[in-house]
């Protein structure tokens, strides 16, 4: 969705509401397609005394297997964004200012960039997820397994055998 903001830039005390959804279900991330539901975008673009400000709240559901236990997990995330808009910048660039060429703002591209930046590097079903047993593969969230917890490094097993012989 391309927003034409020319009227907003020339009219002080003017507000344009933003209520939009963007479908990123075909977007691949780390071998998965985690954005199965559309991203909900709500906010406003306001001109107050010549300063044009964009305020957005983006809500999306990240659907992927838990990185520890592998169970399918859906987690809702919210991204808040507040930036100034300008048709051009004289001087140094700033991350707080979005340049709006020809007074047109591509909302889909802006939302895509902000969502991709905010995607979690580690996706857990819950913070206290115990993961899987490295020996038998049992989900430790369902209870302990019967595997030996004390593992001997195979490179040191010969030393362990010597210790057994002395006893």
């Amino acid at each position: 969705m391309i927003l034409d903001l020319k009227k907003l830039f020339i009219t002080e005390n003017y507000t344009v509401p933003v209520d939009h959804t963007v479908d990123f279900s075909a977007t691949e991330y780390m071998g998965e397609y985690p954005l199965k539901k559309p991203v909900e975008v709500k906010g406003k673009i306001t001109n107050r005394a010549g300063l044009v400000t964009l305020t957005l709240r983006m809500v999306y559901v990240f659907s992927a297997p838990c990185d520890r236990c592998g169970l399918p997990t859906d987690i809702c995330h919210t991204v808040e964004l507040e930036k100034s808009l300008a048709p051009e910048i004289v001087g140094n660039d700033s991350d707080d200012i979005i340049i709006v060429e020809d007074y047109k703002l591509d909302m889909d591209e802006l939302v895509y960039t902000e969502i991709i930046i905010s995607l979690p590097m580690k996706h857990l079903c819950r913070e206290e997820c115990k993961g899987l047993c490295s020996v038998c593969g049992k989900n430790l969230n369902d209870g302990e397994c019967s595997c030996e917890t004390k593992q001997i490094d195979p490179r040191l097993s010969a030393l362990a055998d010597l210790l057994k012989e002395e006893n």
Side-chain angles (χ1 to χ4, degrees):
M1 175 170 89
I2 306 273
L3 293 177
D4 187 351
L5 302 176
K6 189 169 188 171
K7 181 177 180 184
L8 181 93
F9 273 94
I10 61 175
T11 309
E12 288 190 16
N13 298 322
Y14 187 70
T15 300
V16 173
V18 177
D19 189 358
H20 183 54
T21 58
V22 186
D23 182 15
F24 293 124
S25 59
T27 301
E28 182 181 350
Y29 177 72
M30 296 178 70
E32 299 282 334
Y33 294 91
L35 301 171
K36 294 172 177 41
K37 297 179 182 175
V39 176
E40 295 177 16
V41 182
K42 294 189 185 302
K44 62 184 177 179
I45 307 171
T46 307
N47 182 340
R48 295 272 185 255
L51 178 64
V52 178
T53 307
L54 168 73
T55 306
L56 291 180
R57 178 182 179 98
M58 297 166 270
V59 179
Y60 66 94
V61 176
F62 190 84
S63 302
C66 174
D67 287 338
R68 288 188 188 154
C69 68
L71 290 177
T73 305
D74 294 346
I75 305 281
C76 186
H77 294 276
T78 301
V79 177
E80 303 276 342
L81 178 69
E82 186 165 334
K83 302 254 185 185
S84 295
L85 303 180
E88 62 185 7
I89 294 180
V90 178
N92 295 336
D93 288 343
S94 172
D95 289 340
D96 295 328
I97 300 174
I98 298 172
I99 299 172
V100 183
E101 293 181 15
D102 299 325
Y103 301 105
K104 294 187 181 353
L105 177 63
D106 186 343
M107 285 297 296
D108 292 351
E109 181 181 329
L110 174 67
V111 170
Y112 175 81
T113 302
E114 294 300 322
I115 295 297
I116 291 296
I117 289 170
S118 77
L119 289 176
M121 294 300 291
K122 185 172 227 167
H123 180 66
L124 302 177
C125 59
R126 60 182 189 264
E127 277 300 315
E128 63 277 357
C129 178
K130 295 177 183 177
L132 302 175
C133 173
S134 60
V135 177
C136 68
K138 179 180 179 184
N139 187 340
L140 298 175
N141 295 314
D142 298 336
E144 296 297 319
C145 63
S146 59
C147 294
E148 179 66 39
T149 57
K150 183 179 178 185
Q151 296 291 324
I152 297 175
D153 188 330
R155 296 170 290 180
L156 301 175
S157 63
L159 290 174
D161 292 340
L162 287 174
L163 288 173
K164 287 179 188 175
E165 289 175 11
E166 287 181 10
N167 292 333

